[in-house]
Amino acid sequence: MSKSLHKRLRFFTVVVVLVTLVLTGRLFWLQIYKYDYYVAKAENNRLRELPIMAARGEIMDRNGVLLATNRPGFAVSLLDWDKSKGDEIIGLLSRLLEIPETEIRKQIERQQFKTFAPIRIATDVSAEVVARITERRPELPGVIIEAQPVREYPLETVAAHVLGYMGAISSQEYQEWGRDKGYRITDNIGKYGLEAAWEEYLRGQDGVEVVETNFYGQRVRELGKINPVAGHNLVTTLDTRLQRIAEEALAGVISELREGGNEEAGKGAVVAMDPGTGQILAMVSLPAYNPNSFYDDYSLLISDSNHPLINKAISGMYPVGSTFKMAVATAGLEEGIISRNTILYCSGRKVYFAGEAPRGCHLGIVHGAVNVTRALQVSCNSYFFELGKRTGIDLIEQYARNYTLGKKTGLQDLAGEAEGTLLCRREGEPWYPGNVLTASIGQGHAITPLQLANYAAIIANQGTHYRPYLVQKVVSPTGKVVLETEPEVLNRLDYAEATWQAVREGMEMVAMPGGTGSVLRNLPVKVAAKTGSAEAGTKEPHSLFVGYAPADNPEIALAVIVEHGGLGYQGAVPVAHRILAEYYGDESREE
Amino acid sequence: MFNRKLLRNFDWLLLFTVFAIVAISLITLASTTKSITQNPFYYTKQQAIRFAVGFAFMLAVLSIDYTYFYRLAPYIYAFSVLLLVIVLFFGDDTHGAQRWIDLKFIEIQPSEFAKLGIIISLARQLTAQEGSFDSIFSCIPAFLHVALPMILIFKQPDLGTSMVFLVIVFGMLFMAGANIKHLLTYITLGLAVGGPLLWFNLKPYQKMRLIIFTNPYLDPLNYGLQIIQSLIAVGSGGLYGKGLFAPGTQNALGFLIEKRTDFIFSAFAEETGFIGAVVLLLLFMILILRIIRLASLAKDTFGMLVCIGVAVMMTFHVLVNVGMAIGIMPVTGLPLPLMSYGGSSLLMNMMAIGVVLNIGMRRQKLMF
């Protein structure tokens, strides 16, 4: 091997020795010279990550009225606490927080695997309790107060079922998906309503503060901080003014019915939609709950036989009585079975049909010669028995489903929309020809108030089935629009103009003298409506209203049900009357 | 056929240092993972199995005369590049960068094997070019040779490993007889032109790692935290260390991040102190010096260049990995040879040792 090669090899040897020397020198510096410094650092090395809770997105109505927001609150947690003094600390905390010791121990047990993160003991603690704890700090080593935004619903029970409520993430939810999505076991999540369905958007991103703490758990300095990012805000389609009017109208009528001796009244629902877009303007379900005090009232709510936790507007299913008749009329007209001028005679005689008990018009009234518009106006059962017989159940079913009766409307912004059922021919089930009579006057079906409102909307806009929706915009905390919902056409019913005209005229006549909803004639707007009284076994019938206003240029499609509210004009019509009177009567209304 | 006479030239000391370093690795792994409750020695067992496999690979590499590798060099090069292309397009990116190929039973990291592959193929190319390094342009074929694998690895992205190739090519060019002035010119040029070019092609996290190297407290939550915690662990180890398997060490408390892989040196230095750390460094020094010795004894230029390539590679890994643990090198994620937990790196290093021992063993033409 040449001499120069040997020289070059020696160069490598020198480099390797030098590298070893440099590394050794640095190790000497760190491990010998700076030993005391690093030992102290290691002793004090109690870096702690303190979560900074993000504010949840706000929920507001179409005009920016806040429906759900946050207020500052405090949580009490343990961090680096002295377990040898555990009994004393837990005892004192129990007295100050007024929580039983066993409850505190349960919380510690549940979160025991958290070594570097605080163990949450109590949430939403009052300022007074915070002051008491601060006073006795020396006796409570390791007890920390964390800032924690608390969910608040400023309008209390207003739109409670739409907004939903919050609750602690359950162990099961945490195991199944919470952990993967970065939730902590102490986090609250949306459990129902928009809070649950829009959790992903509403939830903010918690920040974290890394602090170095000393042996006593006191903060020595902050090493770094990631600020929390608030969740996205939801702009809903709700109109708080209309929502309140509807809630008060329904509650008012129910209490009047009860005062009048109808002990069975107590529940009901209202849905108001914009027939031109599918936007839900108001959605009421009574009785309601207060999402602010949900868990305090929980035992009462859960035992209430009126099921206040269920959103009856989307999950309640009812026979809808005569409000169903527009579907039958549409089928008859559109299929050419009748025309607008076809006269059928209501003789007052009871109708017999195979498999069906004899039936006639309500109270045995004789309507005489009626056409379709008149039949709708006076809700002539005899007419619809005959029309139903001629049309047949299969066509009735088809037209009803086109109106989203017994069919999901497509609402995606809330979970829990019921599909409902229609009384119709089903495979494997007995069918009696007489059942068509029952079906024609709206009995035997199970239909939701949302479906009824959507049905009214489709008639109001002459055939367009818009997807009903509640959230029109998702806006980031910086004001950026993250998501915007455009009206979505799910189906278009291409019926003859004459069909629409007849059905709509019949509905308008309901609100005229001689109609079943004639009290609606004195409203500031012209209303198209249909009333219904649905048999409910041996109890008072359900009282229903379906309609839209103004009749010539519909802005609101409305469905009202007062459970066991009596006949249509006793319960639902007064509710609708009050809603429309107040909504259109109030001069402060903005156009 | 394997000839007993070959054993006369076998470098037993080199093999001993390999065993010693691997033994230290297994003990450190056992010590740092003792707190895992279900299966405390899982990582130790895994690494021991990989070492056994690596040892078998080493014996296999030993049994073939290394001059075959000279003939196979172009295929080795092609295969290395092919694997790098595959990993770039079909690789598993679950670990953040696309470095692994998932073979279901095992995940391999082609960039590790490429290091050895490129050393062998570059050695052949430089051997062929021997004695003709008069022009400054004569270095260019070697640069082109490593450019392709380097870019592929840089794209993964893996800055550290692509840097290894740069060091290897300069080291091997130097030993192949390239003009020192030429090499210095290229280095100067590379820093002036390549530096800025590289900077603008780095991912944000890579830039962050380089920035916080100058001041770890700029980013105390992520990479800076790794460095800070590593310094505390090493420094608090002192002269004698806190003891292997000792409770309450920084690594046991969970302050030390990546303590099995990138920062295994910190865990070892914390537990065995300055004495242990220096012993480990000396073992590495002996290992590399023995490889350089075999380079000087090799019977041909090809063997000498392969040995140098391996020596340069190992030196660079030790410098960068240990340097990172003690805060004088940026965080790059280069493993510590034979120490860090990980199969591909261990296998490749065992095979590299096999090649080097092979060259040393067959340094004389045997007389019968």
Side-chain angles (χ1 to χ4, degrees), chain A residues 39-59:
Chain A
V39 164
K41 277 236 161 196
E43 288 295 317
N44 292 333
N45 197 345
R46 289 157 175 270
L47 290 188
R48 290 296 181 261
E49 291 188 1
L50 300 178
I52 312 171
M53 267 161 278
R56 196 173 169 83
E58 298 184 315
I59 304 177

Side-chain angles (χ1 to χ4, degrees), chain A residues 370-415:
Chain A
V370 289
N371 71 346
V372 65
T373 52
R374 174 77 182 153
L376 285 170
Q377 182 187 27
V378 299
S379 203
C380 175
N381 283 351
S382 305
Y383 181 94
F384 281 96
F385 287 145
E386 181 59 26
L387 177 55
K389 233 165 32 175
R390 292 187 191 179
T391 310
I393 191 65
D394 294 337
L395 281 173
I396 292 174
E397 181 198 347
Q398 181 195 322
Y399 278 81
R401 292 217 201 274
N402 282 347
Y403 278 136
T404 71
L405 300 174
K407 182 185 163 188
K408 286 197 178 181
T409 61
L411 176 71
Q412 292 175 328
D413 296 343
L414 292 177

Side-chain angles (χ1 to χ4, degrees), chain A residues 234-477:
Chain A
L234 300 187
V235 180
T236 65
T237 59
L238 291 179
D239 178 342
T240 305
R241 194 177 141 256
L242 180 61
Q243 176 79 24
R244 275 180 188 275
I245 291 171
E247 288 181 10
E248 281 159 19
L250 181 59
V253 168
I254 286 175
S255 72
E256 281 162 27
L257 285 171
R258 292 180 69 89
E259 280 163 23
N262 177 355
E263 292 291 323
E264 286 162 359
K267 299 178 266 184
V270 176
V271 176
M273 288 174 64
D274 177 349
T277 56
Q279 294 188 348
I280 294 171
L281 303 172
M283 182 178 274
V284 181
S285 174
L286 286 184
Y289 56 87
N290 184 344
N292 289 315
S293 55
F294 183 76
Y295 285 96
D296 298 336
D297 311 338
Y298 190 72
S299 53
L300 272 177
L301 292 171
I302 199 79
S303 58
D304 190 331
S305 61
N306 285 331
H307 303 298
L309 298 184
I310 292 172
N311 184 354
K312 297 178 176 66
I314 60 168
S315 304
M317 291 176 281
Y318 307 92
V320 291
S322 301
T323 58
F324 190 76
K325 285 174 180 165
M326 279 84 79
V328 182
T330 310
L333 288 161
E334 188 62 19
E335 294 294 325
I337 293 156
I338 50 165
S339 76
R340 182 196 170 90
N341 300 320
T342 305
I343 302 284
L344 299 174
Y345 286 93
C346 171
S347 61
R349 263 185 298 151
K350 299 213 168 186
V351 178
Y352 295 84
F353 206 65
E356 190 62 28
R359 323 178 77 143
C361 277
H362 185 63
L363 301 175
I365 292 169
V366 179
H367 295 116
V370 289
N371 71 346
V372 65
T373 52
R374 174 77 182 153
L376 285 170
Q377 182 187 27
V378 299
S379 203
C380 175
N381 283 351
S382 305
Y383 181 94
F384 281 96
F385 287 145
E386 181 59 26
L387 177 55
K389 233 165 32 175
R390 292 187 191 179
T391 310
I393 191 65
D394 294 337
L395 281 173
I396 292 174
E397 181 198 347
Q398 181 195 322
Y399 278 81
R401 292 217 201 274
N402 282 347
Y403 278 136
T404 71
L405 300 174
K407 182 185 163 188
K408 286 197 178 181
T409 61
L411 176 71
Q412 292 175 328
D413 296 343
L414 292 177
E417 187 194 357
E419 182 163 11
T421 53
L422 290 181
L423 175 62
C424 59
R425 215 195 300 266
R426 249 178 249 127
E427 229 171 284
E429 282 175 36
W431 176 259
Y432 305 104
N435 287 358
V436 77
L437 304 188
T438 310
S440 299
I441 57 162
Q443 292 299 135
H445 311 303
I447 287 166
T448 69
L450 176 63
Q451 287 170 357
L452 278 183
N454 201 45
Y455 164 50
I458 294 173
I459 297 171
N461 67 32
Q462 298 210 30
T464 307
H465 169 196
Y466 287 102
R467 182 193 295 287
Y469 65 100
L470 272 162
V471 175
Q472 51 174 319
K473 244 192 274 182
V474 179
V475 183
S476 81

